[in-house]
């Protein structure tokens, strides 16, 4: 036997003839010509439902289980499985897979559980015209044919009994089916009533769905408008944020400018305070020097009067604003007024000397006595700590006074 791509479902259970009547084989020949294809015709009864893995096999007569098939073909499922009318089907066996001997064979329909649902009458593979073939039958072959015939008769009898039993079962099933059909009719009426009620409910639900769809459409439109409004608000918000950012930048710039002005104002106030203090110091120093200058003029006039000279007639007068005027020595005022005059030459012959600091002119005979007193006013005294500075270090003196105000 030729191997197949996929083995059919079989069973090791011994032959059971009770189900042989569910599939009926039609037009089965007693002899088939070797070397040609054969077509197997069969009918499915109305109580049998074929399945995808059902198959038809060629078995040698006398087989016991479905595993003893010679070759097989898969069946083709009917187009309408729900139809209760008998279904005429067919399969074709290729000559290459058919037996080459003259033994007796039969077709068997096997379902996908490996159970035989129908069997055909036996047939042989030999020429149709037996008159042209010389057949020599011995006594032994005759005894074999008789035995096979008995087996076939026994098989047919068993099959007939099985068919009768199955026919009774089918009648009982038919009665049950009729009763069930009546019940099913009542049930169908009930289901139709329920279906009508459900259809009405479905109509209400459909109407409700339509209403919801309309509401949803309205909500979509409203959502679109809200989205546009939200977009406009976002744009407005961005514009406000930009404006706020610009205002913050302007505020920052204004704060920096205000701080700079505050610092400048503070510096100016500080310099103004320092200038006021320095002005007061200088004013006091000016007043003091003016007083000293007045005293010096008086002392100088007194000295010149003792010397017989007129202060206004001197060729070289000290400047009126001279800050380096010297105080008169008390010894000269209350001493002998004539000693200086007698020792002094005529005014026109006096030699004149200048102060090395303020360049003021003094007579030579008075220069040594009044130089020390004259040099004292040429220094600047701090009005706070009384520290003395030379008159030529005026800037140092001012810086020193300014340090006291810090």
């Amino acid at each position: 036997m030729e191997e197949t791509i996929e083995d059919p479902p079989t069973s090791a259970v011994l032959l059971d003839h009770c189900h042989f009547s569910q599939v009926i084989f039609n037009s089965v020949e007693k002899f088939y010509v070797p070397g040609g294809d054969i077509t197997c015709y069969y009918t499915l009864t109305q109580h049998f439902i074929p399945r995808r893995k059902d198959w038809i096999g060629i078995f040698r007569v006398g087989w016991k289980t479905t595993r003893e098939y010679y070759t097989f073909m898969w069946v083709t499922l009917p187009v309408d499985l729900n139809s209760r009318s008998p279904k005429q089907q067919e399969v074709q066996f290729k000559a290459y897979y058919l037996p080459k001997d003259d033994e007796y064979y039969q077709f068997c329909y096997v379902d996908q559980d490996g159970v035989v649902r129908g069997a055909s009458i036996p047939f042989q593979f030999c020429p149709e015209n037996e008159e042209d073939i010389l057949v020599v039958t011995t006594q032994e072959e005759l005894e074999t044919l008789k035995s096979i015939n008995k087996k076939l008769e026994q098989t047919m009898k068993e099959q007939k009994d099985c068919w009768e039993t199955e026919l009774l079962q089918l009648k009982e099933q038919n009665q049950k089916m009729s009763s069930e059909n009546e019940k099913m009719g009542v049930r169908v009426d009930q289901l139709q009533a329920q279906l009508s009620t459900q259809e009405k409910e479905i109509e209400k639900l459909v109407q409700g769905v339509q209403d919801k769809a309309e509401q949803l459409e309205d909500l979509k439109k409203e959502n679109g408008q809200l989205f546009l409004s939200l977009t406009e608000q976002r744009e407005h918000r961005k514009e406000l944020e930009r404006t706020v950012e610009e205002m913050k930048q302007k505020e920052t710039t204004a704060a920096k400018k205000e701080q700079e002005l505050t610092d400048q104002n503070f510096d100016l106030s500080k310099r103004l305070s320092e200038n006021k203090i320095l002005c007061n110091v200088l004013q006091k120093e000016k007043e003091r020097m003016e007083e000293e200058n007045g005293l010096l003029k008086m002392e100088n006039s007194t000295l010149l009067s003792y010397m017989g000279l007129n202060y206004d007639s001197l060729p070289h007068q000290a400047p009126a604003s001279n800050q380096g005027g010297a105080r008169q020595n008390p010894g000269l005022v209350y001493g002998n007024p004539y000693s200086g005059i007698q020792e002094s030459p005529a005014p026109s012959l006096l030699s004149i000397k200048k102060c090395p600091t303020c360049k003021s002119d003094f007579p030579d005979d008075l220069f040594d006595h009044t130089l020390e007193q004259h040099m004292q006013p040429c220094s600047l005294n701090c009005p706070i700590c009384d520290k003395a500075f030379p008159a030529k270090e005026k800037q140092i003196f001012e810086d020193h006074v300014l340090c006291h105000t810090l």
Side-chain angles (χ1 to χ4, degrees), residues 299 303 307 326-333 339-340 343-344 353 362-376:
E299 290 178 358
L303 290 174
M307 294 172 62
R327 294 181 180 179
Q328 185 178 3
N329 191 344
L332 294 178
V333 177
S339 62
E343 294 177 359
S344 297
K353 291 185 178 180
F362 294 93
D364 187 21
D365 56 347
L366 299 177
F367 182 80
D368 294 332
H369 297 285
T370 60
L371 180 61
E372 183 178 357
Q373 294 179 356
H374 172 73
M375 291 294 292
Q376 289 180 356

Side-chain angles (χ1 to χ4, degrees), residues 20-257:
F20 281 16
S21 61
Q22 293 184 352
V23 178
I24 300 173
F25 289 92
N26 306 317
S27 305
V28 179
E29 303 291 340
K30 292 182 179 181
F31 302 98
Y32 290 98
V33 180
D37 299 340
I38 62 174
T39 302
C40 173
Y41 299 96
Y42 61 96
T43 301
L44 303 175
T45 61
Q46 56 181 317
H47 298 292
F48 176 72
I49 300 176
R51 290 179 288 180
R52 187 174 62 87
K53 288 292 185 177
D54 293 355
W55 55 282
I56 294 177
I58 296 178
F59 290 80
R60 181 177 294 176
V61 174
W63 59 275
K64 299 297 182 182
T65 66
T66 54
R67 292 182 178 179
E68 300 177 22
Y69 66 91
Y70 183 85
T71 185
F72 80 98
M73 289 294 295
W74 298 109
V75 301
T76 303
L77 296 178
V79 178
D80 188 7
L81 293 175
N82 297 324
S83 176
R84 294 186 179 181
S85 61
K87 305 171 183 65
Q88 180 74 30
Q89 302 292 325
E90 64 180 46
V91 293
Q92 188 178 50
F93 289 89
K94 297 295 181 179
Y96 180 79
Y97 300 103
L98 296 176
K100 304 298 188 290
D101 54 22
D102 57 354
E103 296 290 335
Y104 283 93
Y105 293 90
Q106 64 181 146
F107 298 115
C108 292
Y109 187 103
V110 185
D111 64 11
Q112 68 179 20
D113 296 326
V115 179
V116 178
R117 297 295 179 176
S120 69
I121 62 174
F123 56 85
Q124 283 182 294
F125 293 94
C126 62
E128 294 181 351
N129 191 0
E130 296 182 356
E131 297 178 355
D132 298 336
I133 300 174
L134 179 62
V135 179
V136 179
T137 304
T138 62
Q139 186 68 27
E140 183 178 357
E141 290 176 347
L142 183 60
E143 295 297 334
T144 302
L145 290 174
K146 289 181 179 180
S147 176
I148 292 173
N149 191 22
K150 287 181 180 180
K151 288 181 179 180
L152 290 175
E153 289 177 354
Q154 181 67 28
T155 300
M156 294 299 293
K157 183 179 179 181
E158 292 176 355
Q159 189 172 4
K160 182 179 180 182
D161 294 338
C162 183
W163 286 349
E164 290 177 353
T165 303
E166 193 164 338
L167 182 59
L168 292 174
Q169 293 177 355
L170 290 175
K171 288 181 179 180
E172 292 178 357
Q173 290 180 0
N174 190 17
Q175 291 177 357
K176 291 180 180 178
M177 291 294 292
S178 298
S179 177
E180 290 179 357
N181 286 336
E182 292 178 358
K183 294 179 180 179
M184 290 297 293
V186 176
R187 180 60 178 167
V188 167
D189 294 336
Q190 294 176 354
L191 291 175
Q192 287 180 349
Q194 292 180 1
L195 180 61
S196 178
T197 304
Q198 290 179 355
E199 286 178 350
K200 293 179 180 179
E201 293 179 355
I202 289 173
E203 290 178 357
K204 293 180 180 180
L205 291 174
V206 169
Q207 185 63 35
V209 169
Q210 292 178 353
D211 296 339
K212 293 293 183 181
E214 292 177 357
Q215 294 179 2
L216 180 61
E217 190 66 25
D218 295 337
L219 289 175
K220 285 183 179 179
K221 293 180 180 178
E222 185 176 356
N223 190 20
Q225 294 176 356
L226 290 175
F227 180 76
L228 293 176
S229 177
L230 180 61
T231 304
E232 293 176 357
Q233 290 181 1
R234 287 178 178 174
E235 293 295 332
H236 184 62
R237 179 181 177 183
K238 290 181 180 179
E239 187 67 26
L240 289 177
E241 289 178 353
R242 287 194 293 268
T243 303
V244 170
E245 187 65 25
E246 292 176 357
M247 291 180 67
K248 286 183 179 179
Q249 293 178 358
K250 291 181 180 179
E251 183 179 359
T252 303
T253 305
K256 291 181 180 179
K257 187 67 176 178

